[in-house]
PDB file of all heavy atoms in Angstrom:
ATOM      1  N   THR A  14     -18.432  13.881  31.536  1.00 68.00           N
ATOM      2  CA  THR A  14     -18.881  12.464  31.347  1.00 68.00           C
ATOM      3  C   THR A  14     -19.726  12.291  30.196  1.00 68.00           C
ATOM      4  O   THR A  14     -20.425  13.289  29.812  1.00 68.00           O
ATOM      5  CB  THR A  14     -19.463  12.012  32.634  1.00 68.00           C
ATOM      6  OG1 THR A  14     -20.783  12.805  32.938  1.00 68.00           O
ATOM      7  CG2 THR A  14     -18.581  12.130  33.893  1.00 68.00           C
ATOM      8  N   GLY A  15     -19.809  11.113  29.739  1.00 74.00           N
ATOM      9  CA  GLY A  15     -20.665  10.766  28.739  1.00 74.00           C
ATOM     10  C   GLY A  15     -20.212  11.293  27.336  1.00 74.00           C
ATOM     11  O   GLY A  15     -21.185  11.652  26.519  1.00 74.00           O
ATOM     12  N   SER A  16     -18.959  11.412  27.233  1.00 78.00           N
ATOM     13  CA  SER A  16     -18.578  12.090  25.847  1.00 78.00           C
ATOM     14  C   SER A  16     -17.288  11.348  25.410  1.00 78.00           C
ATOM     15  O   SER A  16     -16.593  10.785  26.096  1.00 78.00           O
ATOM     16  CB  SER A  16     -18.086  13.570  26.150  1.00 78.00           C
ATOM     17  OG  SER A  16     -19.188  14.419  26.202  1.00 78.00           O
ATOM     18  N   ARG A  17     -17.314  11.295  23.987  1.00 81.00           N
ATOM     19  CA  ARG A  17     -16.298  10.695  23.436  1.00 81.00           C
ATOM     20  C   ARG A  17     -15.885  11.373  22.008  1.00 81.00           C
ATOM     21  O   ARG A  17     -16.816  11.957  21.421  1.00 81.00           O
ATOM     22  CB  ARG A  17     -16.563   9.223  22.933  1.00 81.00           C
ATOM     23  CG  ARG A  17     -15.359   8.520  22.316  1.00 81.00           C
ATOM     24  CD  ARG A  17     -15.768   7.007  21.888  1.00 81.00           C
ATOM     25  NE  ARG A  17     -16.458   6.900  20.699  1.00 81.00           N
ATOM     26  CZ  ARG A  17     -17.653   6.217  20.409  1.00 81.00           C
ATOM     27  NH1 ARG A  17     -18.204   5.685  21.560  1.00 81.00           N
ATOM     28  NH2 ARG A  17     -18.140   6.287  19.309  1.00 81.00           N
ATOM     29  N   VAL A  18     -14.647  11.598  21.686  1.00 84.00           N
ATOM     30  CA  VAL A  18     -14.362  12.350  20.408  1.00 84.00           C
ATOM     31  C   VAL A  18     -13.707  11.343  19.424  1.00 84.00           C
ATOM     32  O   VAL A  18     -12.664  10.698  19.893  1.00 84.00           O
ATOM     33  CB  VAL A  18     -13.453  13.444  20.652  1.00 84.00           C
ATOM     34  CG1 VAL A  18     -12.978  14.149  19.321  1.00 84.00           C
ATOM     35  CG2 VAL A  18     -13.988  14.512  21.493  1.00 84.00           C
ATOM     36  N   ASP A  19     -14.330  11.014  18.325  1.00 84.00           N
ATOM     37  CA  ASP A  19     -13.717  10.163  17.272  1.00 84.00           C
ATOM     38  C   ASP A  19     -13.102  10.999  16.229  1.00 84.00           C
ATOM     39  O   ASP A  19     -13.679  11.996  15.745  1.00 84.00           O
ATOM     40  CB  ASP A  19     -14.734   9.329  16.664  1.00 84.00           C
ATOM     41  CG  ASP A  19     -15.309   8.274  17.685  1.00 84.00           C
ATOM     42  OD1 ASP A  19     -14.637   7.942  18.682  1.00 84.00           O
ATOM     43  OD2 ASP A  19     -16.496   7.919  17.418  1.00 84.00           O
ATOM     44  N   TRP A  20     -11.780  10.801  15.811  1.00 88.00           N
ATOM     45  CA  TRP A  20     -11.170  11.444  14.638  1.00 88.00           C
ATOM     46  C   TRP A  20     -11.362  10.725  13.560  1.00 88.00           C
ATOM     47  O   TRP A  20     -10.723   9.614  13.374  1.00 88.00           O
ATOM     48  CB  TRP A  20      -9.831  11.775  15.136  1.00 88.00           C
ATOM     49  CG  TRP A  20      -9.613  12.907  16.214  1.00 88.00           C
ATOM     50  CD1 TRP A  20      -9.665  12.752  17.546  1.00 88.00           C
ATOM     51  CD2 TRP A  20      -9.617  14.316  15.982  1.00 88.00           C
ATOM     52  NE1 TRP A  20      -9.557  13.961  18.139  1.00 88.00           N
ATOM     53  CE2 TRP A  20      -9.497  14.926  17.156  1.00 88.00           C
ATOM     54  CE3 TRP A  20      -9.442  14.983  14.782  1.00 88.00           C
ATOM     55  CZ2 TRP A  20      -9.312  16.289  17.193  1.00 88.00           C
ATOM     56  CZ3 TRP A  20      -9.497  16.451  14.895  1.00 88.00           C
ATOM     57  CH2 TRP A  20      -9.409  16.951  16.227  1.00 88.00           C
ATOM     58  N   GLU A  21     -12.004  11.298  12.522  1.00 92.00           N
ATOM     59  CA  GLU A  21     -12.177  10.593  11.251  1.00 92.00           C
ATOM     60  C   GLU A  21     -11.377  11.190  10.040  1.00 92.00           C
ATOM     61  O   GLU A  21     -11.274  12.385  10.106  1.00 92.00           O
ATOM     62  CB  GLU A  21     -13.712  10.552  10.857  1.00 92.00           C
ATOM     63  CG  GLU A  21     -14.639   9.918  11.937  1.00 92.00           C
ATOM     64  CD  GLU A  21     -14.357   8.462  12.138  1.00 92.00           C
ATOM     65  OE1 GLU A  21     -13.897   7.819  11.102  1.00 92.00           O
ATOM     66  OE2 GLU A  21     -14.757   7.833  13.111  1.00 92.00           O
ATOM     67  N   PRO A  22     -11.070  10.356   9.118  1.00 95.00           N
ATOM     68  CA  PRO A  22     -10.334  11.001   7.983  1.00 95.00           C
ATOM     69  C   PRO A  22     -11.068  12.083   7.249  1.00 95.00           C
ATOM     70  O   PRO A  22     -12.312  11.948   7.054  1.00 95.00           O
ATOM     71  CB  PRO A  22      -9.823   9.786   7.200  1.00 95.00           C
ATOM     72  CG  PRO A  22     -10.852   8.812   7.395  1.00 95.00           C
ATOM     73  CD  PRO A  22     -11.109   8.983   8.932  1.00 95.00           C
ATOM     74  N   VAL A  23     -10.464  13.134   6.737  1.00 95.00           N
ATOM     75  CA  VAL A  23     -11.125  14.176   6.142  1.00 95.00           C
ATOM     76  C   VAL A  23     -11.694  13.730   4.793  1.00 95.00           C
ATOM     77  O   VAL A  23     -12.613  14.148   4.201  1.00 95.00           O
ATOM     78  CB  VAL A  23     -10.374  15.358   5.999  1.00 95.00           C
ATOM     79  CG1 VAL A  23      -9.208  15.231   5.026  1.00 95.00           C
ATOM     80  CG2 VAL A  23     -11.044  16.722   5.607  1.00 95.00           C
ATOM     81  N   GLY A  24     -10.912  12.753   4.103  1.00 96.00           N
ATOM     82  CA  GLY A  24     -11.491  12.131   2.909  1.00 96.00           C
ATOM     83  C   GLY A  24     -10.279  11.951   1.797  1.00 96.00           C
ATOM     84  O   GLY A  24      -9.195  11.342   2.136  1.00 96.00           O
ATOM     85  N   VAL A  25     -10.547  12.586   0.692  1.00 97.00           N
ATOM     86  CA  VAL A  25      -9.584  12.447  -0.457  1.00 97.00           C
ATOM     87  C   VAL A  25      -8.759  13.704  -0.472  1.00 97.00           C
ATOM     88  O   VAL A  25      -9.219  14.938  -0.493  1.00 97.00           O
ATOM     89  CB  VAL A  25     -10.286  12.417  -1.715  1.00 97.00           C
ATOM     90  CG1 VAL A  25      -9.356  12.230  -2.995  1.00 97.00           C
ATOM     91  CG2 VAL A  25     -11.188  11.041  -1.755  1.00 97.00           C
ATOM     92  N   VAL A  26      -7.414  13.592  -0.537  1.00 97.00           N
ATOM     93  CA  VAL A  26      -6.492  14.603  -0.336  1.00 97.00           C
ATOM     94  C   VAL A  26      -5.639  14.873  -1.640  1.00 97.00           C
ATOM     95  O   VAL A  26      -5.105  13.772  -2.159  1.00 97.00           O
ATOM     96  CB  VAL A  26      -5.508  14.360   0.665  1.00 97.00           C
ATOM     97  CG1 VAL A  26      -4.509  15.512   0.829  1.00 97.00           C
ATOM     98  CG2 VAL A  26      -6.271  14.349   2.134  1.00 97.00           C
ATOM     99  N   ALA A  27      -5.492  16.067  -2.163  1.00 96.00           N
ATOM    100  CA  ALA A  27      -4.583  16.314  -3.210  1.00 96.00           C
ATOM    101  C   ALA A  27      -3.329  16.857  -2.561  1.00 96.00           C
ATOM    102  O   ALA A  27      -3.280  17.868  -1.895  1.00 96.00           O
ATOM    103  CB  ALA A  27      -5.222  17.335  -4.198  1.00 96.00           C
ATOM    104  N   ALA A  28      -2.147  16.079  -2.926  1.00 96.00           N
ATOM    105  CA  ALA A  28      -0.785  16.584  -2.480  1.00 96.00           C
ATOM    106  C   ALA A  28      -0.125  17.080  -3.753  1.00 96.00           C
ATOM    107  O   ALA A  28       0.283  16.336  -4.573  1.00 96.00           O
ATOM    108  CB  ALA A  28      -0.111  15.426  -1.845  1.00 96.00           C
ATOM    109  N   ILE A  29       0.086  18.412  -3.770  1.00 95.00           N
ATOM    110  CA  ILE A  29       0.665  19.010  -4.847  1.00 95.00           C
ATOM    111  C   ILE A  29       2.162  19.357  -4.446  1.00 95.00           C
ATOM    112  O   ILE A  29       2.384  20.141  -3.613  1.00 95.00           O
ATOM    113  CB  ILE A  29      -0.040  20.317  -5.386  1.00 95.00           C
ATOM    114  CG1 ILE A  29      -1.426  19.852  -5.630  1.00 95.00           C
ATOM    115  CG2 ILE A  29       0.680  20.972  -6.433  1.00 95.00           C
ATOM    116  CD1 ILE A  29      -2.331  20.981  -5.978  1.00 95.00           C
ATOM    117  N   VAL A  30       3.126  18.674  -5.201  1.00 96.00           N
ATOM    118  CA  VAL A  30       4.456  18.683  -4.791  1.00 96.00           C
ATOM    119  C   VAL A  30       5.407  19.447  -5.873  1.00 96.00           C
ATOM    120  O   VAL A  30       5.282  19.068  -6.921  1.00 96.00           O
ATOM    121  CB  VAL A  30       4.938  17.219  -4.530  1.00 96.00           C
ATOM    122  CG1 VAL A  30       6.400  17.155  -4.025  1.00 96.00           C
ATOM    123  CG2 VAL A  30       4.193  16.595  -3.498  1.00 96.00           C
ATOM    124  N   PRO A  31       6.378  20.279  -5.505  1.00 95.00           N
ATOM    125  CA  PRO A  31       7.185  20.969  -6.465  1.00 95.00           C
ATOM    126  C   PRO A  31       8.508  20.051  -6.741  1.00 95.00           C
ATOM    127  O   PRO A  31       8.579  18.912  -6.222  1.00 95.00           O
ATOM    128  CB  PRO A  31       7.700  22.196  -5.695  1.00 95.00           C
ATOM    129  CG  PRO A  31       7.653  21.778  -4.313  1.00 95.00           C
ATOM    130  CD  PRO A  31       6.526  20.786  -4.147  1.00 95.00           C
ATOM    131  N   ASN A  32       9.352  20.668  -7.542  1.00 95.00           N
ATOM    132  CA  ASN A  32      10.485  19.698  -8.081  1.00 95.00           C
ATOM    133  C   ASN A  32      11.785  20.019  -7.117  1.00 95.00           C
ATOM    134  O   ASN A  32      12.780  19.109  -7.432  1.00 95.00           O
ATOM    135  CB  ASN A  32      10.771  20.066  -9.499  1.00 95.00           C
ATOM    136  CG  ASN A  32      11.146  21.496  -9.750  1.00 95.00           C
ATOM    137  OD1 ASN A  32      11.861  22.172  -8.877  1.00 95.00           O
ATOM    138  ND2 ASN A  32      10.748  22.057 -10.834  1.00 95.00           N
ATOM    139  N   ASN A  33      11.708  20.695  -6.250  1.00 95.00           N
ATOM    140  CA  ASN A  33      12.943  20.887  -5.474  1.00 95.00           C
ATOM    141  C   ASN A  33      13.398  19.826  -4.460  1.00 95.00           C
ATOM    142  O   ASN A  33      14.459  19.418  -4.396  1.00 95.00           O
ATOM    143  CB  ASN A  33      12.934  22.344  -4.686  1.00 95.00           C
ATOM    144  CG  ASN A  33      11.941  22.501  -3.770  1.00 95.00           C
ATOM    145  OD1 ASN A  33      10.824  21.918  -3.844  1.00 95.00           O
ATOM    146  ND2 ASN A  33      12.146  23.240  -2.680  1.00 95.00           N
ATOM    147  N   TYR A  34      12.339  19.312  -3.830  1.00 96.00           N
ATOM    148  CA  TYR A  34      12.477  18.116  -2.849  1.00 96.00           C
ATOM    149  C   TYR A  34      11.305  17.260  -3.142  1.00 96.00           C
ATOM    150  O   TYR A  34      10.405  17.069  -2.258  1.00 96.00           O
ATOM    151  CB  TYR A  34      12.597  18.459  -1.397  1.00 96.00           C
ATOM    152  CG  TYR A  34      13.942  19.098  -1.025  1.00 96.00           C
ATOM    153  CD1 TYR A  34      14.140  20.502  -1.196  1.00 96.00           C
ATOM    154  CD2 TYR A  34      14.956  18.297  -0.737  1.00 96.00           C
ATOM    155  CE1 TYR A  34      15.407  20.984  -0.855  1.00 96.00           C
ATOM    156  CE2 TYR A  34      16.311  18.803  -0.467  1.00 96.00           C
ATOM    157  CZ  TYR A  34      16.457  20.271  -0.557  1.00 96.00           C
ATOM    158  OH  TYR A  34      17.663  20.650  -0.189  1.00 96.00           O
ATOM    159  N   PRO A  35      11.225  16.522  -4.421  1.00 97.00           N
ATOM    160  CA  PRO A  35      10.019  15.866  -4.623  1.00 97.00           C
ATOM    161  C   PRO A  35       9.642  14.685  -3.724  1.00 97.00           C
ATOM    162  O   PRO A  35       8.557  14.318  -3.577  1.00 97.00           O
ATOM    163  CB  PRO A  35      10.329  15.392  -6.052  1.00 97.00           C
ATOM    164  CG  PRO A  35      11.833  15.378  -6.214  1.00 97.00           C
ATOM    165  CD  PRO A  35      12.216  16.498  -5.430  1.00 97.00           C
ATOM    166  N   ALA A  36      10.750  13.910  -3.156  1.00 97.00           N
ATOM    167  CA  ALA A  36      10.549  12.842  -2.315  1.00 97.00           C
ATOM    168  C   ALA A  36      10.136  13.384  -0.961  1.00 97.00           C
ATOM    169  O   ALA A  36       9.179  12.830  -0.379  1.00 97.00           O
ATOM    170  CB  ALA A  36      11.783  11.920  -2.209  1.00 97.00           C
ATOM    171  N   THR A  37      10.980  14.100  -0.246  1.00 97.00           N
ATOM    172  CA  THR A  37      10.630  14.505   1.034  1.00 97.00           C
ATOM    173  C   THR A  37       9.278  15.420   1.162  1.00 97.00           C
ATOM    174  O   THR A  37       8.558  15.046   2.105  1.00 97.00           O
ATOM    175  CB  THR A  37      11.769  15.556   1.551  1.00 97.00           C
ATOM    176  OG1 THR A  37      13.042  14.812   1.426  1.00 97.00           O
ATOM    177  CG2 THR A  37      11.559  15.869   2.953  1.00 97.00           C
ATOM    178  N   LEU A  38       9.014  16.246   0.216  1.00 97.00           N
ATOM    179  CA  LEU A  38       7.821  17.032   0.304  1.00 97.00           C
ATOM    180  C   LEU A  38       6.527  16.115   0.031  1.00 97.00           C
ATOM    181  O   LEU A  38       5.525  16.365   0.655  1.00 97.00           O
ATOM    182  CB  LEU A  38       7.904  18.228  -0.574  1.00 97.00           C
ATOM    183  CG  LEU A  38       8.899  19.339  -0.243  1.00 97.00           C
ATOM    184  CD1 LEU A  38       8.929  20.443  -1.203  1.00 97.00           C
ATOM    185  CD2 LEU A  38       8.688  19.770   1.143  1.00 97.00           C
ATOM    186  N   ALA A  39       6.754  15.050  -0.774  1.00 98.00           N
ATOM    187  CA  ALA A  39       5.722  14.212  -0.913  1.00 98.00           C
ATOM    188  C   ALA A  39       5.284  13.375   0.384  1.00 98.00           C
ATOM    189  O   ALA A  39       4.253  13.244   0.882  1.00 98.00           O
ATOM    190  CB  ALA A  39       5.985  13.236  -1.963  1.00 98.00           C
ATOM    191  N   ALA A  40       6.486  13.013   1.163  1.00 98.00           N
ATOM    192  CA  ALA A  40       6.317  12.367   2.354  1.00 98.00           C
ATOM    193  C   ALA A  40       5.769  13.306   3.397  1.00 98.00           C
ATOM    194  O   ALA A  40       4.810  12.741   4.278  1.00 98.00           O
ATOM    195  CB  ALA A  40       7.736  11.864   2.874  1.00 98.00           C
ATOM    196  N   TYR A  41       5.991  14.604   3.525  1.00 98.00           N
ATOM    197  CA  TYR A  41       5.424  15.398   4.418  1.00 98.00           C
ATOM    198  C   TYR A  41       3.968  15.478   4.392  1.00 98.00           C
ATOM    199  O   TYR A  41       3.116  15.690   5.393  1.00 98.00           O
ATOM    200  CB  TYR A  41       5.916  16.827   4.235  1.00 98.00           C
ATOM    201  CG  TYR A  41       7.411  17.174   4.599  1.00 98.00           C
ATOM    202  CD1 TYR A  41       8.148  16.264   5.077  1.00 98.00           C
ATOM    203  CD2 TYR A  41       7.847  18.567   4.447  1.00 98.00           C
ATOM    204  CE1 TYR A  41       9.409  16.540   5.504  1.00 98.00           C
ATOM    205  CE2 TYR A  41       9.099  18.737   4.838  1.00 98.00           C
ATOM    206  CZ  TYR A  41      10.016  17.836   5.233  1.00 98.00           C
ATOM    207  OH  TYR A  41      11.229  18.103   5.736  1.00 98.00           O
ATOM    208  N   LYS A  42       3.397  15.246   3.177  1.00 97.00           N
ATOM    209  CA  LYS A  42       2.000  15.348   2.832  1.00 97.00           C
ATOM    210  C   LYS A  42       1.375  13.886   2.958  1.00 97.00           C
ATOM    211  O   LYS A  42       0.320  13.794   3.578  1.00 97.00           O
ATOM    212  CB  LYS A  42       1.617  15.876   1.485  1.00 97.00           C
ATOM    213  CG  LYS A  42       2.252  17.345   1.395  1.00 97.00           C
ATOM    214  CD  LYS A  42       2.228  17.764  -0.139  1.00 97.00           C
ATOM    215  CE  LYS A  42       2.942  19.037  -0.232  1.00 97.00           C
ATOM    216  NZ  LYS A  42       2.644  20.147   0.726  1.00 97.00           N
TER     217      LYS A  42
END
């Protein structure tokens, strides 16, 4: 009792994507 967990964004993310599936892998991230 008396507890709550808030999930906050970690912040700024770098998504580094290769050329084999540039659209799908960008979406995964």
Side-chain angles (χ1 to χ4, degrees):
T14 59
S16 283
R17 185 182 81 228
V18 176
D19 295 335
W20 287 91
E21 302 293 338
V23 71
V25 179
V26 177
I29 303 176
V30 181
N32 59 37
N33 58 329
Y34 285 93
T37 304
L38 293 177
Y41 286 1
K42 303 172 189 306

